[in-house]
Amino acid sequence: TSSGKTIAGNLTSTNKFNSVTFNGVGGAWSLSNPAEVNGTLTLTSGILTTTSTNYLRLLNNASAAVAGTPSSTSHISGPMRWVLNPANTYTFPVGKGGNYYPFGLSSMTGSAPEIQVEATNANAGGTADGTTITSISNTEYWQASAVAGTYTTGKVTLGVSSIGSWSAIGRN
């Protein structure tokens, strides 16, 4: 395989992937349409770029539905949707600009939530109030939203080592 490849075609509904191993061998790949994976998504090598229109949707609600070794050279760059079971713990293998920024959800309440997550390697904007929040990241942020089902509460884990134990996660 080589860099700059596009995965094309109708890859949803009856044409979805059962299970797929993404082995882009360091290459850059993208979707030309939305794609669904019913089984396991295995990330071995390469970055798959998605967009708000051409996103990857994982239908398997098992925690182990993402396998392989997500890293700075093997992740989803752009929106990823996952249909979740609130009883499980999940790590979305997302990143941006060659950086791996995993996003975790656990201890959830809700009913069959489908969550879309995207990591961005840019300034989150805004300003800290100087009292309860002393600084805001200017290097990365995540966007997460429920696109189907309901999501009431849960624990968020961000996979960036520079976030200390006294850091806070804000929402708008």
Side-chain angles (χ1 to χ4, degrees), residues 10-90:
N10 177 3
L11 300 170
T12 61
S13 189
T14 59
N15 296 319
K16 63 185 165 269
F17 291 109
N18 182 32
S19 289
V20 63
T21 297
F22 184 71
N23 189 2
V25 190
W29 291 74
S30 63
L31 294 175
S32 66
N33 292 296
E36 294 177 333
V37 178
N38 197 46
T40 303
L41 169 67
T42 303
L43 298 172
T44 304
S45 178
I47 296 172
L48 176 62
T49 299
T50 62
T51 67
S52 60
T53 304
N54 302 324
Y55 53 84
L56 180 68
R57 182 176 186 227
L58 192 52
L59 303 172
N60 180 348
N61 68 5
S63 296
V66 173
T69 52
S71 67
S72 62
T73 59
S74 181
H75 60 263
I76 308 302
S77 179
M80 176 187 171
R81 295 181 178 186
W82 199 344
V83 178
L84 309 180
N85 175 344
N88 293 341
T89 297
Y90 298 91

Side-chain angles (χ1 to χ4, degrees), residues 138-155:
N138 62 4
T139 58
E140 72 277 316
Y141 67 92
W142 294 258
Q143 293 175 298
S145 60
V147 295
T150 60
Y151 175 87
T152 310
T153 63
K155 178 181 176 184

